[in-house]
PDB file of all heavy atoms in Angstrom:
ATOM      1  N   LEU A  20       2.392  23.067 -14.668  1.00 91.00           N
ATOM      2  CA  LEU A  20       2.507  24.442 -14.184  1.00 91.00           C
ATOM      3  C   LEU A  20       3.663  25.175 -14.854  1.00 91.00           C
ATOM      4  O   LEU A  20       3.543  26.354 -15.200  1.00 91.00           O
ATOM      5  CB  LEU A  20       2.679  24.465 -12.663  1.00 91.00           C
ATOM      6  CG  LEU A  20       1.408  24.277 -11.861  1.00 91.00           C
ATOM      7  CD1 LEU A  20       1.729  24.093 -10.394  1.00 91.00           C
ATOM      8  CD2 LEU A  20       0.478  25.458 -12.051  1.00 91.00           C
ATOM      9  N   ILE A  23       2.426  26.137 -18.231  1.00 89.00           N
ATOM     10  CA  ILE A  23       1.460  27.225 -18.167  1.00 89.00           C
ATOM     11  C   ILE A  23       2.170  28.553 -17.928  1.00 89.00           C
ATOM     12  O   ILE A  23       1.866  29.559 -18.574  1.00 89.00           O
ATOM     13  CB  ILE A  23       0.409  26.951 -17.058  1.00 89.00           C
ATOM     14  CG1 ILE A  23      -0.517  25.819 -17.497  1.00 89.00           C
ATOM     15  CG2 ILE A  23      -0.397  28.197 -16.736  1.00 89.00           C
ATOM     16  CD1 ILE A  23      -1.435  25.317 -16.392  1.00 89.00           C
ATOM     17  N   ALA A  29      -3.449  31.416 -18.417  1.00 76.00           N
ATOM     18  CA  ALA A  29      -3.976  31.258 -17.062  1.00 76.00           C
ATOM     19  C   ALA A  29      -5.162  30.311 -17.070  1.00 76.00           C
ATOM     20  O   ALA A  29      -6.096  30.468 -16.298  1.00 76.00           O
ATOM     21  CB  ALA A  29      -4.367  32.615 -16.500  1.00 76.00           C
ATOM     22  N   ASP A  30      -5.139  29.339 -17.975  1.00 77.00           N
ATOM     23  CA  ASP A  30      -6.290  28.458 -18.161  1.00 77.00           C
ATOM     24  C   ASP A  30      -6.629  27.651 -16.925  1.00 77.00           C
ATOM     25  O   ASP A  30      -7.711  27.759 -16.374  1.00 77.00           O
ATOM     26  CB  ASP A  30      -6.048  27.502 -19.322  1.00 77.00           C
ATOM     27  CG  ASP A  30      -5.951  28.216 -20.656  1.00 77.00           C
ATOM     28  OD1 ASP A  30      -6.356  29.390 -20.724  1.00 77.00           O
ATOM     29  OD2 ASP A  30      -5.473  27.595 -21.612  1.00 77.00           O
ATOM     30  N   SER A  31      -5.736  26.808 -16.515  1.00 85.00           N
ATOM     31  CA  SER A  31      -6.075  25.839 -15.468  1.00 85.00           C
ATOM     32  C   SER A  31      -5.033  25.808 -14.355  1.00 85.00           C
ATOM     33  O   SER A  31      -4.696  24.745 -13.851  1.00 85.00           O
ATOM     34  CB  SER A  31      -6.218  24.460 -16.090  1.00 85.00           C
ATOM     35  OG  SER A  31      -5.041  24.125 -16.789  1.00 85.00           O
ATOM     36  N   LYS A  32      -4.544  26.968 -13.966  1.00 89.00           N
ATOM     37  CA  LYS A  32      -3.560  27.007 -12.880  1.00 89.00           C
ATOM     38  C   LYS A  32      -4.090  26.389 -11.586  1.00 89.00           C
ATOM     39  O   LYS A  32      -3.378  25.587 -10.971  1.00 89.00           O
ATOM     40  CB  LYS A  32      -3.126  28.447 -12.604  1.00 89.00           C
ATOM     41  CG  LYS A  32      -2.100  28.981 -13.536  1.00 89.00           C
ATOM     42  CD  LYS A  32      -1.685  30.366 -13.086  1.00 89.00           C
ATOM     43  CE  LYS A  32      -0.976  31.086 -14.198  1.00 89.00           C
ATOM     44  NZ  LYS A  32      -0.670  32.460 -13.830  1.00 89.00           N
ATOM     45  N   PRO A  33      -5.308  26.733 -11.163  1.00 90.00           N
ATOM     46  CA  PRO A  33      -5.775  26.158  -9.886  1.00 90.00           C
ATOM     47  C   PRO A  33      -5.853  24.628  -9.904  1.00 90.00           C
ATOM     48  O   PRO A  33      -5.573  23.982  -8.893  1.00 90.00           O
ATOM     49  CB  PRO A  33      -7.173  26.764  -9.689  1.00 90.00           C
ATOM     50  CG  PRO A  33      -7.167  28.001 -10.507  1.00 90.00           C
ATOM     51  CD  PRO A  33      -6.261  27.734 -11.665  1.00 90.00           C
ATOM     52  N   VAL A  34      -6.207  24.066 -11.044  1.00 92.00           N
ATOM     53  CA  VAL A  34      -6.305  22.609 -11.135  1.00 92.00           C
ATOM     54  C   VAL A  34      -4.937  21.976 -10.933  1.00 92.00           C
ATOM     55  O   VAL A  34      -4.779  21.029 -10.145  1.00 92.00           O
ATOM     56  CB  VAL A  34      -6.898  22.191 -12.498  1.00 92.00           C
ATOM     57  CG1 VAL A  34      -6.816  20.689 -12.684  1.00 92.00           C
ATOM     58  CG2 VAL A  34      -8.313  22.681 -12.646  1.00 92.00           C
ATOM     59  N   TRP A  35      -3.927  22.479 -11.603  1.00 91.00           N
ATOM     60  CA  TRP A  35      -2.600  21.876 -11.508  1.00 91.00           C
ATOM     61  C   TRP A  35      -1.916  22.201 -10.193  1.00 91.00           C
ATOM     62  O   TRP A  35      -1.113  21.415  -9.687  1.00 91.00           O
ATOM     63  CB  TRP A  35      -1.751  22.247 -12.718  1.00 91.00           C
ATOM     64  CG  TRP A  35      -2.347  21.656 -13.951  1.00 91.00           C
ATOM     65  CD1 TRP A  35      -2.920  22.307 -14.990  1.00 91.00           C
ATOM     66  CD2 TRP A  35      -2.489  20.260 -14.238  1.00 91.00           C
ATOM     67  NE1 TRP A  35      -3.400  21.407 -15.905  1.00 91.00           N
ATOM     68  CE2 TRP A  35      -3.150  20.149 -15.478  1.00 91.00           C
ATOM     69  CE3 TRP A  35      -2.123  19.098 -13.580  1.00 91.00           C
ATOM     70  CZ2 TRP A  35      -3.443  18.919 -16.059  1.00 91.00           C
ATOM     71  CZ3 TRP A  35      -2.419  17.879 -14.156  1.00 91.00           C
ATOM     72  CH2 TRP A  35      -3.073  17.798 -15.382  1.00 91.00           C
ATOM     73  N   TRP A  36      -2.227  23.358  -9.588  1.00 93.00           N
ATOM     74  CA  TRP A  36      -1.736  23.637  -8.242  1.00 93.00           C
ATOM     75  C   TRP A  36      -2.337  22.626  -7.263  1.00 93.00           C
ATOM     76  O   TRP A  36      -1.657  22.150  -6.354  1.00 93.00           O
ATOM     77  CB  TRP A  36      -2.083  25.059  -7.792  1.00 93.00           C
ATOM     78  CG  TRP A  36      -1.062  26.077  -8.194  1.00 93.00           C
ATOM     79  CD1 TRP A  36      -1.209  27.042  -9.123  1.00 93.00           C
ATOM     80  CD2 TRP A  36       0.259  26.214  -7.676  1.00 93.00           C
ATOM     81  NE1 TRP A  36      -0.050  27.772  -9.228  1.00 93.00           N
ATOM     82  CE2 TRP A  36       0.861  27.293  -8.347  1.00 93.00           C
ATOM     83  CE3 TRP A  36       0.989  25.525  -6.714  1.00 93.00           C
ATOM     84  CZ2 TRP A  36       2.164  27.705  -8.084  1.00 93.00           C
ATOM     85  CZ3 TRP A  36       2.290  25.943  -6.458  1.00 93.00           C
ATOM     86  CH2 TRP A  36       2.857  27.010  -7.135  1.00 93.00           C
ATOM     87  N   THR A  37      -3.606  22.304  -7.457  1.00 94.00           N
ATOM     88  CA  THR A  37      -4.280  21.329  -6.589  1.00 94.00           C
ATOM     89  C   THR A  37      -3.675  19.938  -6.755  1.00 94.00           C
ATOM     90  O   THR A  37      -3.459  19.225  -5.766  1.00 94.00           O
ATOM     91  CB  THR A  37      -5.789  21.292  -6.893  1.00 94.00           C
ATOM     92  OG1 THR A  37      -6.316  22.612  -6.767  1.00 94.00           O
ATOM     93  CG2 THR A  37      -6.513  20.352  -5.971  1.00 94.00           C
ATOM     94  N   VAL A  38      -3.389  19.553  -7.996  1.00 94.00           N
ATOM     95  CA  VAL A  38      -2.793  18.233  -8.251  1.00 94.00           C
ATOM     96  C   VAL A  38      -1.414  18.136  -7.603  1.00 94.00           C
ATOM     97  O   VAL A  38      -1.100  17.149  -6.921  1.00 94.00           O
ATOM     98  CB  VAL A  38      -2.711  17.956  -9.767  1.00 94.00           C
ATOM     99  CG1 VAL A  38      -1.879  16.720 -10.055  1.00 94.00           C
ATOM    100  CG2 VAL A  38      -4.099  17.809 -10.362  1.00 94.00           C
ATOM    101  N   ALA A  39      -0.588  19.159  -7.791  1.00 95.00           N
ATOM    102  CA  ALA A  39       0.753  19.141  -7.200  1.00 95.00           C
ATOM    103  C   ALA A  39       0.673  19.160  -5.671  1.00 95.00           C
ATOM    104  O   ALA A  39       1.411  18.435  -4.989  1.00 95.00           O
ATOM    105  CB  ALA A  39       1.566  20.319  -7.712  1.00 95.00           C
ATOM    106  N   SER A  40      -0.227  19.953  -5.127  1.00 95.00           N
ATOM    107  CA  SER A  40      -0.380  20.025  -3.671  1.00 95.00           C
ATOM    108  C   SER A  40      -0.894  18.707  -3.100  1.00 95.00           C
ATOM    109  O   SER A  40      -0.466  18.283  -2.021  1.00 95.00           O
ATOM    110  CB  SER A  40      -1.342  21.146  -3.302  1.00 95.00           C
ATOM    111  OG  SER A  40      -0.830  22.378  -3.745  1.00 95.00           O
TER     112      SER A  40
END
Side-chain angles (χ1 to χ4, degrees):
L20 281 171
I23 289 170
D30 294 345
S31 56
K32 279 184 197 175
V34 172
W35 295 112
W36 272 110
T37 305
V38 170
S40 299

